[in-house]
Each structure stands twice: as C-alpha cells, then as structure tokens.
Amino acid sequence: MISKFSILNLSIVKYILNYNLLLRFSLILFLSSTIINGQNSSLLSNRRNYSGINKSISFTQKNKNNKNYWLPAIEVIGLNFTVLFYNNYLTKEGWANISIQSAKNNLEYGFTWDNDGFAMNQFYHPYHGASYFNTARSSGLNFWESIPYTFGGSLMWEYFMEIERPSYNDLLNTTVSGITLGEITYRVSNLIIDESTTGFSRVVREIAAFTIDPMHGFSRLIKGEIWKRGLKPQKKNTFINLSIGSNSLFINRNLQNNYLYLLLKFDMNYGKKFNAKNHNSPFEYFRVHSEVSFTEGNNIIGISAGGVLWDKKFKAFNTNRNVAGLYKEFDLLFNSIYKFSASSLTGEVSNLTKISTHSKIQSSLGLSLVLIGSSNSKYSVEIGKDYNLGPGLGIRFFSDFQFADSWLLFFKYKQFWIHVLNGIDGNEFIGLFNLGINHVFNKNFGIGADAVFYERYGIYKALPDIYSKNASLRFYIKFIL
C-alpha cells in the first residue's frame, strides 16, 4: 500500500517527477535515441516519414533455450526484502515494521482499497511492477511467462512486506500497468545494447540501457554479460522524434486564466503496425508518447503507451491494408489541476489508404476495456484521497493525413467512462481531443503546432455533478532522430 520501489528504481522515479530533473530525464531519452540512431547510421532510409525516419537498428534477442525460471523468482524476493530493509532500518518507516503477527493479520483480514496518493498508485506502482516483470524477461522468459512474476511479486509485498492490509488497487496497478511499462522498457534497453562494441561506446550503451531498465542491467551484471563480447544483434525498425517548444494551458478554456510551460515531447514507434505477419510475439509493435510541460510549481506529465498482443491483416474496402488487433494500453496525465489514468485492453481496427504517390491516410478505431482507471475529484479529498478509482470502458479514434511527403494533419480523440468503486460514488467521464499539424523540412528537422482539449464530467449519487474543461495550445520544433 505504501511505496515499495527498489533502491535502484527510487532515484529514477523521483528523477522523472522532480521539477529540477525533468530536463535531465529528457536528455536521457535524447541520449538513448542518439545511441539507437547511431548503431546503423549507414542504413538510414532516404524516404521521408512524418513520424520519423525509417531506420534499421539492433535488437538483442535472448536464446529461446536459455531460460531460467528460478533466478527471477530469487530476484523478485530479493528485491522485496531489499526495499523492506531500506524502509525499515534506514528511513524508519512505520509501515515497514513487519512481524509474523502482521502477516497473519493481512492473511486473515484480506484485501481493501487504500488511500495513497495519485502519483503513488498510478505511476510508482506500475513502475515497480515493470521491475518485477523485467527480472523474468532478462532471464530469457517470454512476455506471458513473465506476468506471474509481476503478480507474484506484488502479492508477496501486499501480504508480507507491510503491516497495512493488502490493497486491491496496488495489486492491479502493479500488475496490469507494470507489464506494459516493463515490456517497453525491456525492448528499448535491448535496442541500445550492442555486445559487439567495446570501449567508451560500450560503457555508454550499458549505462543508458541500465538507466531505462535497471533490473535488466542488474541481471546482465550478475551474469557477466555487461562486459561479455558478442555478435551484433538483430535489426529492428523504429521511428523516433524529440520535440521542444511551448505549451499554453487555458484553465476552463479562459484565455485570461493561463499558464505558460516549456514543453518537451518524446515519440517512438517500435516496429510497423501494418506488418502484422511479422508480429510473432506481444509488443513486436508498440508506440510511446511521453511529454513533460513544466513551470514553477505546476508541472504536467503525460504518458501514453501501448503494444500489440495479437493482430491480423484482413481485406476490406478493396484493400488488404487493414489490421485488426488487441492492444495493451497505459495512459497517464496529471498536474496540480487535473489527473487521469487508465490501464486498458483495446480492440482496434486500422486502415492505411494510399491516395497518391506522396499522400496517404491512416485511421484507427478502438474500443477499450478499462481494467483500472482514475480521475481527480474535489469531493474525494473529503475521504482522504485525491482521485476516484474504478473500472470502465473507452473509445478512441485516430486519423493521420500525410500529404506532399512533408505535411501531416492529425486528429486524436479518446473518451473514457470510469465507474467509481473507490472514492465518491458515481461515474467519471473523461474526454481528450488533440488536433494538430506538422511539417518536415528534411529528414532530421521539422516544426509543429497542436491544440489539446480536456474535459471531465463527474456524475455523483449524493453530491452535485462537476463539469470541468481545459485547453492548451502548443508550438514546437521537432527533431527526427
């Protein structure tokens, strides 16, 4: 129920959420992107693409016969006891003063909902779940085989590593969101690792990969793989953008009530969405959008990530450029004004239509089952929380129109319904709408502008309903890495 991150992860988590370190986090992303980009610079395609330049980069793939089921179990247990030791003996946290009796009490009284803060439950716990997950992935286990270690590590913590009762929301967030962040960070770290390199280049790669996925780095360290010479890994297609600019937020869409932020954005597509026949395992295609907008005392953090679990091409509308798939999604958006998160399973249908030699439209329509979602509500503070929590449904529609090779118009819409199970009785409806335009001058540089509209309806059983709306206008320079 309380924080349970490893010492290895703790500094990185604070790293992301601390005002003075946001820029450094973006520089790590930039460094990682540059390393990835530099692995096979001679293979850069000359073809322009609005979302990035198509490039072949390396991907380290574990030998399918080199699986170790016991090592990740030991690492998960060791991770939990290391964190317990840190919180009990070094920081003297009261909740970490466990005993045989506290374990008996937790087993007897069972699960409940906890009142930890939004950032703790919606970001910290998923981040720690990714560490559990990646102990297994770094030992050669596949995506599905790694999930029980995530669930088991969280279950062990909830029952035995705290004196407080185990928490439904901790177990759910750690597991269902942790596997999404875990698989993405595992694959991104593998993109950076190249065991055929030596010297300074090898050191920088290993440090960058360790920063992105600490448990993978730790596993490589104890196995001696950090300094082991190997072959150049497999190649993988990625599209990477880094943007910097301004973000003007208008509270209640009032032009007179606004904040000005410095905006940093990172976008990555791993694999190709319409190459479904090559997606032999989960997350062979995934996308990540992360952004930070910061000003003094009121930072905005946004993460939207998702990867394919299953997909298949089909023929319709006189074309076979259609894909139906099931995707695991994670959305997070929060600042001092509004908060939202959702961990979802999304069924999606996508179409790619080529209009001419230099123009095309890509569209997607999806329906989501929200396994666990949350939204802030001013009423929830009355019961000691800063958000409402529950399952729900969602719908999403994306459309990109690329024309003249260098221009892109894009439209994104997401609508979520969350039925409150923990918080103020009622239902939360959250809408996110994004409309923008990008222009690419060459294969490495472009500009963009977009508008974002956020709205929330809170409909409650015993209290007045709430409607809030905000808007932002952003301008940015775009670097295609």
Side-chain angles (χ1 to χ4, degrees), residues 26-27 29-31 33-34 240-244 264-267 290 444 446 476-481:
S26 301
L27 290 176
L29 295 176
F30 178 80
L31 173 62
S33 304
T34 304
I240 300 172
N241 296 321
L242 182 66
S243 303
I244 182 169
L264 296 173
K265 296 201 302 176
F266 176 83
D267 293 278
S290 60
N444 298 119
Y476 43 89
I477 300 171
K478 186 174 180 179
F479 300 95
I480 304 167
L481 305 175

Side-chain angles (χ1 to χ4, degrees), residues 138-345:
S138 58
S139 291
L141 277 63
N142 65 30
F143 177 88
W144 301 110
E145 292 170 327
S146 300
I147 294 175
Y149 292 86
T150 313
F151 179 79
S154 181
L155 195 65
M156 173 188 172
W157 183 273
E158 294 300 320
Y159 273 122
F160 305 113
M161 300 289 105
E162 295 177 340
I163 64 172
E164 298 182 1
R165 288 177 60 183
S167 164
Y168 292 117
N169 36 323
D170 289 356
L171 185 64
L172 283 169
N173 277 315
T174 302
T175 303
V176 301
S177 299
I179 62 176
T180 305
L181 298 183
E183 184 67 13
I184 289 173
T185 53
Y186 173 75
R187 286 180 177 266
V188 171
S189 70
N190 266 330
L191 291 175
I192 298 169
I193 296 168
D194 185 349
E195 293 179 348
S196 69
T197 60
T198 59
F200 180 74
S201 174
R202 178 65 179 270
V203 172
V204 172
R205 289 179 185 279
E206 294 291 346
I207 292 174
F210 186 96
T211 302
I212 291 171
D213 184 356
M215 293 312 298
H216 188 195
F218 177 75
S219 180
R220 286 177 56 78
L221 176 64
I222 64 176
K223 294 175 185 177
E225 295 175 352
I226 283 182
W227 47 79
K228 178 183 176 182
R229 288 297 303 275
L231 300 175
K232 205 168 188 65
Q234 274 189 330
K235 300 166 185 175
K236 195 71 183 180
N237 292 303
T238 64
F239 304 92
I240 300 172
N241 296 321
L242 182 66
S243 303
I244 182 169
S246 66
N247 179 12
S248 297
L249 174 65
F250 302 97
I251 308 301
N252 293 321
R253 299 180 189 171
N254 182 346
L255 296 180
Q256 305 302 317
N257 187 7
N258 65 83
Y259 293 88
L260 181 63
Y261 299 80
L262 174 63
L263 171 68
L264 296 173
K265 296 201 302 176
F266 176 83
D267 293 278
M268 177 179 184
N269 282 0
Y270 175 101
K272 295 184 176 180
K273 187 170 189 175
F274 289 88
N275 282 4
K277 64 180 181 180
N278 296 327
H279 300 163
N280 300 315
S281 60
F283 283 69
E284 284 293 323
Y285 164 79
F286 69 77
R287 53 159 189 85
V288 178
H289 171 80
S290 60
E291 62 179 61
V292 290
S293 296
F294 50 96
T295 190
E296 186 174 358
N298 187 26
N299 305 319
I300 302 174
I301 297 176
I303 300 173
S304 179
V308 62
L309 298 176
W310 170 90
D311 61 353
K312 187 177 181 61
K313 294 186 74 172
F314 66 95
K315 188 172 183 179
F317 311 111
N318 297 319
T319 178
N320 61 357
R321 293 181 178 178
N322 307 287
V323 172
L326 180 65
Y327 300 82
K328 179 67 184 69
E329 307 277 348
F330 175 72
D331 293 282
L332 176 75
L333 180 64
F334 74 99
N335 64 4
S336 62
I337 302 170
Y338 50 85
K339 301 177 177 70
F340 166 72
S341 71
S343 187
S344 312
L345 280 175

Side-chain angles (χ1 to χ4, degrees), residues 268-440:
M268 177 179 184
N269 282 0
Y270 175 101
K272 295 184 176 180
K273 187 170 189 175
F274 289 88
N275 282 4
K277 64 180 181 180
N278 296 327
H279 300 163
N280 300 315
S281 60
F283 283 69
E284 284 293 323
Y285 164 79
F286 69 77
R287 53 159 189 85
V288 178
H289 171 80
S290 60
E291 62 179 61
V292 290
S293 296
F294 50 96
T295 190
E296 186 174 358
N298 187 26
N299 305 319
I300 302 174
I301 297 176
I303 300 173
S304 179
V308 62
L309 298 176
W310 170 90
D311 61 353
K312 187 177 181 61
K313 294 186 74 172
F314 66 95
K315 188 172 183 179
F317 311 111
N318 297 319
T319 178
N320 61 357
R321 293 181 178 178
N322 307 287
V323 172
L326 180 65
Y327 300 82
K328 179 67 184 69
E329 307 277 348
F330 175 72
D331 293 282
L332 176 75
L333 180 64
F334 74 99
N335 64 4
S336 62
I337 302 170
Y338 50 85
K339 301 177 177 70
F340 166 72
S341 71
S343 187
S344 312
L345 280 175
T346 300
E348 188 175 87
V349 177
S350 301
N351 168 265
L352 179 63
T353 300
K354 194 170 184 179
I355 300 173
S356 67
T357 306
H358 304 288
S359 302
K360 60 184 178 182
I361 297 177
Q362 178 177 320
S363 301
S364 300
L365 177 64
L367 297 174
S368 300
L369 173 64
V370 179
L371 303 174
I372 185 166
S374 62
S375 174
N376 65 302
S377 172
K378 70 177 185 180
Y379 299 135
S380 59
V381 297
E382 298 176 6
I383 57 172
K385 295 177 65 71
D386 60 348
Y387 63 95
N388 288 329
L389 182 76
L393 299 171
I395 185 170
R396 60 186 65 202
F397 176 73
F398 303 156
S399 186
D400 296 337
F401 175 33
Q402 182 184 357
F403 58 98
D405 274 342
S406 60
W407 288 92
L408 171 73
L409 289 172
F410 60 90
F411 169 92
K412 301 176 183 179
Y413 176 74
K414 297 180 182 181
Q415 179 73 50
F416 295 91
W417 161 63
I418 297 172
H419 177 64
V420 180
L421 290 183
N422 178 232
I424 301 300
D425 287 345
N427 295 277
E428 301 283 356
F429 297 87
I430 298 94
L432 297 166
F433 173 69
N434 184 206
L435 178 67
I437 184 169
N438 287 180
H439 176 62
V440 175

